Amino acid sequence: MIEEKERNGITRAVLSGILASGNLDRQSLLKASELQGQIKNFQTSFNLFADSATKTMRENIVTELSNKKVQRIIDDVLLSGKTSNFITDASTWFNHSTAKINLLKELEDNIASSVIGYTEKVISNYQESNNINLYISIFVFILVLVGFIVLGSIIAKNIKKANQSISEVVELSEQGNFEKRINELMLGPDFRQLVKNLNKLLDVYQNSSEVFNGKINELASGYVPDKIEGDYKGKFLGIQNSINTLIDVLNNFLIDLLDIYDNHSRGFINEKIDIAKFDGVFSSITDNVNELVKDHINTNKKIINAITEYTEGNFAKDWEDLPGDREFINESVNNIKKNLLSIVDEVNNFNFAIQNGNTFYRIDLDHFKGDWKQIPSGINNISESFLNPINDTIDSLKRMAD
């Protein structure tokens, strides 16, 4: 019964590690299955050699319900064929298995009490006997019993230490802290290999999480890191592939952005990013970039077309105003049209005045700013070079006529 209790304690530690990691590997499966076989063998031996009173004591203390709760969790982990996504978490398993172990400890204490009571009864029945062999046998029996009790106490202390250490590690792991390790020297040799395997499992989780978090932090900081290298397996391989795929997508996106910038700077303004190379939100971003570039190009074409129309003398077409921060373009284009129309109007007024004999008419330069003054100023200069002699002649003729 003590051996059965010890194997239950080791099973509790093994399954706690499996459920805390969420992953059943081959070594853990073999260890847990071996322990289950040993437990069943010790139960068979107990039922074979214990008397009916002791069997009844076991049935009253270690109830069928407590056995079923523990066995249901064991079957889910070892017999369901799953290696992850178990029904029970580590904390629930630990509580149920601890409850059963406590019941086995209670049974141990009761059996020990009954054996001591039986010993006292034997001593009472043979108090008058001077058979030295009887006393020797009783003394040896008591020594053996005390030895078993001491051995059970030592085993129980080792199990308690292991359970406390494993519980602390499991609790920290559930909070995302994989730095805590169990001191192997604190436990007996039978538990050290189990602790080594659990510490090795924590090393795998800590090292992998540090690599993955490092790459994610670089991405979050605006840098595109090198891809993750290493021989990862299982779910770690899935995380590695996902992060590396994201890095590839971002690198391709940046390369395409640089290419489109280079093409447009060399005059190939119809080039755009191929959105078929991207999926999901990256496809939407690429499409939006293409539309943004297209919109700016269309704005430039619209400005050029309008100015071309105005320089060719077609002022009938009105400028369609641009929204938002591009309002300054509306003012600039409209001012070009306004200045050109002003020149046309002034030239028409000048022609009309000359045709009606007003040779002293000049274009008012105050209506124009900057280099726009040069056009009407030139017309005034030309008119003066032609009209001033005519005006002088007319003045001379008038004086002669007078």
Side-chain angles (χ1 to χ4, degrees), residues 1 57-58 61 103-111:
M1 193 279 301
M57 184 190 304
R58 177 189 177 102
I61 296 176
L103 294 176
L104 289 172
K105 182 65 172 65
E106 181 183 347
L107 176 62
E108 174 191 351
D109 295 337
N110 288 353
I111 293 176

Side-chain angles (χ1 to χ4, degrees), residues 305-319 333-334 336-337 340:
N305 290 336
I307 294 176
T308 300
E309 291 284 341
Y310 298 156
T311 56
E312 291 177 353
N314 180 13
F315 298 102
K317 185 176 181 180
D318 291 329
W319 169 258
V333 173
N334 287 327
I336 292 173
K337 180 180 179 181
L340 288 173

